[in-house]
């Protein structure tokens, strides 16, 4: 499996193939496991769908402790990626991308702190080419894209001429995709595929425009909100405000993959953060993340921040799931953490933050795990696998609150 600022645009276009924005259309409840475009009725799922426990769509839970050493002490985890052999973790501790084996043993940090070759001070995001065993780290203010091998060797650093974007990731072969939401209000596109020379090859269209008087001089991304993910080894792209997820067809052309009809939960175009963010936001507005397995589309969501009030609209987040086989949706519990009740092993509620074709992944801090294992909720939890609940009780006897976090792996039915 391959996988969480204003910038000015000055682009020299070799070829601009613009894919227009796509609005939700067509039936959404007839199953969608084929290659055709489909729509997910997000509002209907939240309003009508049943809240289900983990056992309804998963059959096994793994808890992988990430080894704590002097070199691998992790800060807050910002994003992560899981391959067949490794776990890569972007965190705010020492600022370097940490590499662990699939069972949680620390391997190395990619690169070093500094400003020389193979060095960086802050990273903005990273992407993984598992087939070629390459890691691509985008640095923060310098926006270099640094290429490393899985063995930690720095291969090269790329600076794309004319490409000044919020996020840049490896896409396919020698192609890269860069993303920025509209900031000034006159940008022609949102996603841009380009080569190492910075030549634009394909784009997706911006659909929200405004004048300079409406510009807010700010932009933001919510923790848990993603604009890139990979499924079936192919990059998927979703702007944080638009409804459509884009991907590649068999000819390598960017095409609409699916749409998410958020209904009343959609943030109106004239209230996006980059456009007069001081306006009061509607109380129902939600940010949205998107992840996908072979069968399910997973949609973590949460409240927006109202900068006029200086606080979030509420303190609850949750997760909705769309079953592509049946065309039906269901949800987890809405709470400060959100997620699905773990009736398999009795652990804390599971909030998926990443997925591959067959599994969903989450992160659980040692402190949160320990507090839950010492709670009455855990003691009274009836589970499908009592032996695994007993293993959690044994784990709690040696668990320390300042241990590194755990990777939670939920294997889907």
């Amino acid at each position: 499996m391959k996988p969480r600022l204003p910038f000015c645009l000055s682009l020299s276009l070799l070829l601009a193939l613009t894919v227009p924005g796509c609005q939700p259309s067509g039936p959404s409840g007839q199953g969608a496991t084929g290659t055709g475009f489909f729509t997910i009725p997000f509002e209907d799922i939240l309003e009508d769908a049943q809240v289900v426990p983990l056992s309804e769509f998963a059959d096994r839970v793994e808890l992988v402790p990430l080894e704590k050493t002097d070199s691998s002490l992790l800060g807050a985890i910002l994003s992560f990626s899981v391959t067949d052999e490794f776990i890569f973790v972007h965190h705010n501790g020492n600022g370097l991308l940490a590499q662990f084996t699939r069972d949680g043993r620390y391997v190395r940090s990619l690169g070093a702190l500094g400003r020389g070759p193979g060095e960086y001070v802050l990273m903005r995001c990273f992407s993984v080419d598992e087939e070629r065993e390459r890691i691509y780290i985008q640095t923060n203010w310098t926006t270099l894209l640094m290429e490393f091998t899985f063995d930690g060797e720095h291969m090269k650093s790329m600076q794309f001429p004319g490409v000044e974007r919020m996020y840049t990731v490896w896409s396919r072969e020698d192609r890269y995709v860069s993303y920025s939401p509209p900031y000034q209000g006159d940008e022609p596109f949102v996603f841009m595929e380009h080569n190492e020379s910075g030549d634009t090859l394909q784009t997706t269209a911006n659909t929200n425009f405004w004048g300079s008087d409406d510009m807010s001089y700010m932009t933001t991304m919510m923790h848990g909100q993603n604009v890139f993910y990979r499924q079936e080894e192919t990059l998927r792209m979703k702007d944080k405000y638009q409804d459509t997820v884009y991907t590649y067809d068999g000819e390598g052309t960017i095409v609409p993959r699916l749409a998410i009809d958020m209904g009343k939960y959609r943030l109106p175009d004239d209230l996006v953060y980059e456009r007069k963010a001081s306006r009061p936001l509607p109380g129902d507005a939600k940010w949205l993340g998107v992840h996908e397995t072979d069968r399910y589309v997973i949609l973590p969501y949460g409240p927006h921040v109202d900068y006029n009030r200086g606080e979030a609209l509420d303190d609850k987040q949750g997760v909705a799931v769309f079953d592509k086989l049946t065309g039906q949706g269901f949800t987890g519990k809405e709470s400060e953490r959100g997620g699905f009740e773990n009736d398999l092993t009795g652990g804390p509620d599971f909030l998926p933050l990443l997925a591959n074709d067959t599994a969903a992944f989450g992160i659980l801090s040692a402190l949160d795990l320990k507090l839950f294992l010492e709670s009455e909720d855990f003691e009274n939890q009836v589970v499908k696998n009592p032996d695994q609940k007993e293993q959690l009780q044994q784990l709690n006897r040696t668990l320390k609150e300042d241990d590194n976090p755990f990777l939670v792996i939920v294997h889907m039915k």
Side-chain angles (χ1 to χ4, degrees), residues 1-3 32-36 38 130-131 170-172 229-236 247-249 257 291-296 324 355-358:
M1 204 246 18
K2 290 96 169 173
T33 55
T35 57
F38 62 98
E130 184 172 2
E131 183 177 351
W170 171 81
S171 174
R172 59 193 178 107
Y229 68 94
R230 301 191 79 88
Q231 199 261 328
E232 296 178 340
E233 300 183 358
T234 304
L235 186 68
R236 318 291 196 196
T247 190
Y248 292 98
D249 66 11
R257 153 81 173 154
H291 307 284
E292 198 171 349
T293 72
D294 285 342
R295 178 168 176 175
Y296 302 103
K324 292 182 283 185
N356 66 13
D357 292 345
T358 60

Side-chain angles (χ1 to χ4, degrees), residues 61-204:
V61 178
E62 284 185 68
L63 202 59
V64 179
L66 299 177
E67 182 183 15
K68 179 184 174 182
T69 69
D70 291 341
S71 300
S72 67
L73 181 62
L74 300 178
I77 293 181
L78 305 176
S79 62
F80 62 99
S81 181
V82 183
T83 72
D84 288 342
E85 295 185 49
F86 298 109
I87 303 163
F88 298 95
V89 179
H90 174 201
H91 64 103
N92 68 357
N94 63 13
L96 299 175
L97 184 67
Q99 181 180 6
F100 297 84
T101 61
R102 191 60 168 67
D103 59 1
R105 291 181 291 108
Y106 176 68
V107 179
R108 65 176 61 85
S109 291
L110 279 295
L113 293 175
R115 301 185 183 277
E119 298 178 340
Y120 52 99
V121 177
L122 292 172
M123 61 177 291
R124 185 169 295 180
C125 67
F126 75 99
S127 48
V128 180
D129 176 359
E130 184 172 2
E131 183 177 351
R132 293 175 55 247
E133 298 189 343
R134 294 291 190 269
I135 302 290
Y136 296 89
I137 294 175
Q138 184 191 14
T139 61
N140 197 24
W141 296 112
T142 57
T143 62
L144 292 172
L145 197 67
M146 308 180 76
E147 180 182 322
F148 293 87
T149 69
F150 278 17
D151 292 328
E153 180 183 0
H154 174 240
M155 302 300 291
K156 61 183 176 182
S157 294
M158 293 170 277
Q159 187 86 60
F160 306 113
V163 180
E164 299 176 359
R165 310 288 281 170
M166 189 172 184
Y167 296 121
T168 296
V169 299
W170 171 81
S171 174
R172 59 193 178 107
E173 300 170 346
D174 59 349
R175 308 290 175 82
Y176 308 87
V177 171
S178 294
Y179 164 78
S180 279
Y183 175 69
Q184 295 176 310
D186 60 355
E187 293 85 351
F189 50 80
V190 176
F191 290 101
M192 176 180 70
E193 183 193 64
H194 55 87
N195 56 23
E196 286 190 24
S197 299
D199 301 318
T200 299
L201 306 175
Q202 301 183 75
T203 67
T204 70

